[in-house]
């Protein structure tokens, strides 16, 4: 009698030895079954729905896996970004900056025609001078109404005007600067390319139109005069304009009036008048860093003696003093015209009438 798995008559002739099924090596795994195009209904389904024995299965979607799709997408994005960056690189090499022009300066002493008027009553002195209606300190340097230009925004124009004002206030109104001490407060507002010229001016003052400390700032010889009033009277204007697509210019024209007394505290006080025209230039780096290029400084100041050197310090003539020498023509620093002489005469109308 055959075994439980063998035919009653035994293994047929020609069949594989040992009764092995010739299809036993074929493995019908789960993926093979899912891939079949025909699927047999179960017996219950055939009874319930009177369906045919088999049904056709929808074809399997043989798309990319999710991970492969994400990888392909990332490669496409990276490739597109590389192309974009090559066409429009955000880190373009900046254009070469124009060289900064050195400061050109002119300081013109104005000699009085007679004795310098003075009094112990400071208010009386101001009231009888052309500076009677001038404002005091930084209030005398107001910012004008600003407008954007073709290539600069409102905020950039305001930045240029503000920097110019700060330079004026620090260089002509700060008592520490006026008395011949502090210079750093002015220096930090300059474009770095002008610092070498600035430092040379104070290390080796020279009357060459390039290296006079009094062209950069206002300061009096402390051995000769001191401030009788720290509230300097000021009047003038600021104007901004676009020089070209990369440069803003600011022109400042102000008259300053200082109350001075002789060093040592003598009672008599006199007025010293200084008219100063400054031309500033700003590129976009200067605007961003709150710095300025000072390219022109034109100063008329008196009462001074033409025989005195005004390169390093201003050495004012004080109450009751007279000048040894005068200039070729009277010059009024309150007027809007520009002086042309290297030394002038201080107009009588520019001084207090006591």
């Amino acid at each position: 009698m055959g075994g439980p798995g063998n035919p009653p008559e035994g293994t047929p002739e020609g069949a594989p030895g040992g009764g092995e099924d010739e299809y036993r090596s074929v493995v019908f795994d789960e993926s093979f079954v899912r891939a079949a195009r025909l699927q047999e209904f179960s017996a219950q389904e055939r009874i319930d729905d009177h369906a045919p024995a088999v049904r056709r299965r929808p074809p399997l979607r043989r798309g990319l896996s999710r991970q492969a799709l994400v990888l392909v997408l990332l490669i496409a994005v990276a490739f597109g970004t590389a192309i974009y960056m090559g066409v429009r690189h955000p880190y373009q090499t900046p254009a070469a900056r124009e060289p900064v022009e050195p400061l050109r300066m002119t300081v013109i002493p104005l000699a009085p025609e007679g004795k310098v008027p003075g009094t112990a009553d400071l208010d009386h002195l101001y009231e009888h001078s052309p500076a009677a209606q001038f404002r005091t300190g930084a209030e005398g340097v107001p910012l004008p109404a600003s407008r954007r230009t073709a290539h600069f925004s409102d905020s950039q124009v305001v930045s240029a005007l503000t920097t110019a004002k700060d330079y004026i206030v620090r260089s002509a109104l700060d008592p520490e600067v006026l008395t011949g001490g502090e210079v750093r407060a002015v220096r930090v507002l300059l474009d770095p390319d002008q610092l070498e010229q600035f430092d040379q001016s104070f290390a080796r003052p020279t009357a060459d139109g390039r290296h006079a400390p009094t062209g950069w700032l206002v300061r009096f010889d402390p051995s000769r005069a001191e401030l009788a009033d720290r509230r300097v009277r000021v009047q003038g204007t600021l104007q901004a304009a676009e020089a070209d697509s990369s440069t803003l210019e600011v022109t400042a024209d102000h008259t300053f009036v200082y109350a001075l007394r002789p060093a040592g505290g003598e009672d008599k006080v006199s007025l010293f008048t200084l008219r100063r025209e400054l031309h500033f230039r700003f590129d976009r780096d200067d605007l961003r860093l709150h710095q300025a290029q000072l390219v022109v400084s034109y100063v008329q100041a008196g009462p001074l003696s033409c025989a005195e050197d005004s390169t390093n310090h201003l050495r004012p003539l004080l109450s009751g003093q007279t000048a040894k020498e005068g200039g070729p023509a009277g010059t009024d620093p309150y007027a809007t015209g520009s002086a042309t002489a290297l030394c002038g005469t201080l107009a009588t109308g520019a001084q207090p009438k006591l």
Side-chain angles (χ1 to χ4, degrees):
M1 189 170 179
N6 296 324
E9 294 83 6
T11 303
E13 185 179 353
E20 292 183 0
D21 188 348
E22 63 178 312
Y23 299 106
R24 184 171 296 176
S25 60
V26 179
V27 179
F28 298 98
D29 59 9
E30 185 178 353
S31 63
F32 180 85
V33 173
R34 285 200 307 268
R37 301 298 301 275
L38 297 177
Q39 180 183 25
E40 184 179 5
F41 284 99
S42 66
Q44 185 62 45
E45 287 175 325
R46 290 198 297 270
I47 294 173
D48 294 341
D49 298 332
H50 305 287
V54 296
R55 60 184 171 189
R56 183 174 295 276
R57 299 181 64 180
L60 290 176
R61 297 177 60 185
R62 296 185 178 274
L64 293 173
S65 66
R66 180 177 299 176
Q67 291 85 352
L69 185 60
V70 170
L71 181 60
V72 170
L73 182 61
L74 288 175
I75 293 173
V77 170
F79 185 70
T81 302
I83 294 176
Y84 174 81
M85 296 287 279
V87 173
R88 188 175 181 179
H89 200 297
Y91 303 106
Q92 298 278 352
T93 301
R97 189 186 187 203
E98 292 292 328
V100 174
E101 183 179 337
L103 170 62
R104 294 175 286 113
M105 58 183 70
T106 304
V107 180
I108 301 177
L110 302 179
E113 294 182 327
K115 288 185 178 181
V116 177
T119 177
D121 188 344
L122 181 58
D123 291 337
H124 182 75
L125 197 63
Y126 277 132
E127 289 171 3
H128 291 81
S129 78
Q133 303 302 318
F134 283 17
R135 295 183 180 181
T136 302
E139 294 181 358
V141 193
L143 295 180
S146 59
R147 294 182 180 177
R148 63 175 303 149
T149 66
H151 300 92
F152 293 89
S153 65
D154 288 334
S155 62
Q156 288 175 316
V157 175
V158 170
S159 177
L161 290 167
T162 301
T163 303
K165 174 177 178 175
D166 287 348
Y167 188 93
I168 293 166
V169 170
R170 295 187 190 185
S171 64
L173 298 177
D174 185 346
E176 296 298 322
V177 173
L178 297 175
T179 53
E182 174 67 39
V183 298
R184 183 181 179 278
V186 179
R187 187 181 187 274
V188 297
L189 290 176
L190 290 170
D191 186 287
D193 289 348
Q194 287 191 310
L195 295 182
E196 182 178 357
Q197 183 188 5
F198 182 90
D199 293 339
Q200 288 179 358
S201 299
F202 289 87
R204 295 181 296 278
T206 307
D208 61 354
R210 290 289 189 274
H211 300 94
T214 49
W216 295 99
L217 49 81
V218 179
R219 66 175 185 174
F220 300 104
D221 185 347
S223 67
R224 174 169 296 190
E226 62 184 36
L227 293 174
D229 187 3
R230 297 167 68 94
R231 299 168 300 170
V232 180
R233 303 294 180 96
V234 190
Q235 180 171 281
T237 60
L238 279 171
Q239 293 181 337
E242 180 178 308
D244 53 49
S245 61
S246 61
T247 310
L248 273 175
E249 289 185 347
V250 173
T251 301
D253 190 353
H254 293 83
T255 299
F256 305 85
V257 181
Y258 304 90
L260 303 177
R261 63 163 58 98
E266 188 177 322
D267 288 340
K268 284 286 184 83
V269 179
S270 59
L271 297 183
F272 185 90
T273 305
L274 182 145
R275 180 175 168 219
R276 191 184 191 209
E277 183 176 337
L278 303 178
H279 291 214
F280 299 93
R281 191 169 293 162
F282 302 85
D283 59 23
R284 285 180 167 77
D285 286 340
D286 293 322
L287 295 173
R288 179 174 53 85
L289 298 173
H290 193 61
Q291 295 172 340
Q293 303 170 32
L294 181 59
V295 294
V296 174
S297 173
Y298 184 85
V299 177
Q300 305 167 55
L304 290 169
S305 174
C306 293
E308 298 271 11
D309 182 8
S310 300
T311 301
N312 193 16
H313 292 88
L314 298 174
R315 295 179 169 88
L317 295 172
L318 302 172
S319 176
Q321 296 180 340
T322 59
K324 295 180 181 179
E325 297 181 16
T331 302
D332 186 352
Y334 292 94
T336 58
S338 296
T340 57
L342 295 180
C343 183
T345 300
L346 184 61
T348 303
Q351 299 201 69
K353 296 178 173 59
L354 300 179

